[in-house]
Amino acid sequence: MPLSEHEQRMLEQMERALYAEDPKFATALEGSGLRTYTRRRVYQAVAGFLVGIALLMTGVMIQGQYWISVVGFLVMLGCAALAVTSWRKAPRAGAQQGAGPVGQPGGRGQMRPRRSMMDRIEQRWQRRRDEQGH
């Protein structure tokens, strides 16, 4: 069930008030945290990859403990996959999550108009309702 006109107006007023009172906080809520999260995840994957290399080398150096090498290889493989998928999903450095002002390209060369916070909330609400079968 979509929001009523009154509810939509109320949410739009709240959004405008938030931008007026604290534009820095409102901008932070728009999705810049995703870039930080994916960057941190890539760094963790690289650190795990280095741990995997250390395990692989340790298993090779210790006589008869080849299972350590296998574990090290699996850790390296998993961390490499995590780093690559996180890197691909990360937003580009010059682009915000979603898109910039209307007419400017968003991420990956596509032209998308900037959606308001209200539109994103409505889409999430509709998606949840569709998933629940209502």
Side-chain angles (χ1 to χ4, degrees):
M1 171 166 55
L3 298 174
S4 69
E5 288 182 30
H6 175 70
E7 293 170 331
Q8 288 178 355
R9 282 194 306 266
M10 293 292 291
L11 281 173
E12 287 172 1
Q13 287 176 355
M14 290 173 15
E15 181 181 307
R16 282 193 299 269
L18 177 64
Y19 275 101
E21 290 178 19
D22 195 354
K24 186 176 180 182
F25 177 68
T27 304
L29 289 178
E30 285 184 345
S32 62
L34 179 63
R35 188 177 325 136
T36 304
Y37 172 74
T38 53
R39 186 180 304 138
R40 184 180 312 132
R41 196 164 169 175
V42 168
Y43 290 152
Q44 289 171 348
V46 169
F49 189 83
L50 295 175
V51 169
I53 289 175
L55 286 172
L56 183 79
M57 299 302 288
T58 302
V60 169
M61 290 189 306
I62 297 175
Q63 300 282 332
Q65 300 294 324
Y66 294 111
W67 63 271
I68 296 174
S69 294
V70 172
V71 170
F73 176 76
L74 293 175
V75 168
M76 288 171 53
L77 187 64
C79 288
L82 180 66
V84 169
T85 56
S86 295
W87 188 263
R88 285 184 181 170
K89 291 179 184 179
R92 300 294 173 233
Q96 283 186 348
Q97 180 68 13
V102 176
Q104 290 185 355
R108 303 193 185 210
Q110 298 173 349
M111 297 291 285
R112 293 183 290 193
R114 182 176 177 156
R115 298 182 321 200
S116 70
M117 188 182 308
M118 177 66 189
D119 292 336
R120 291 191 305 269
I121 291 171
E122 271 186 16
Q123 280 187 338
R124 289 179 191 150
W125 176 261
Q126 190 63 37
R127 204 176 318 133
R128 286 187 190 127
R129 291 196 46 83
D130 290 343
E131 289 173 359
Q132 292 175 354
H134 289 98

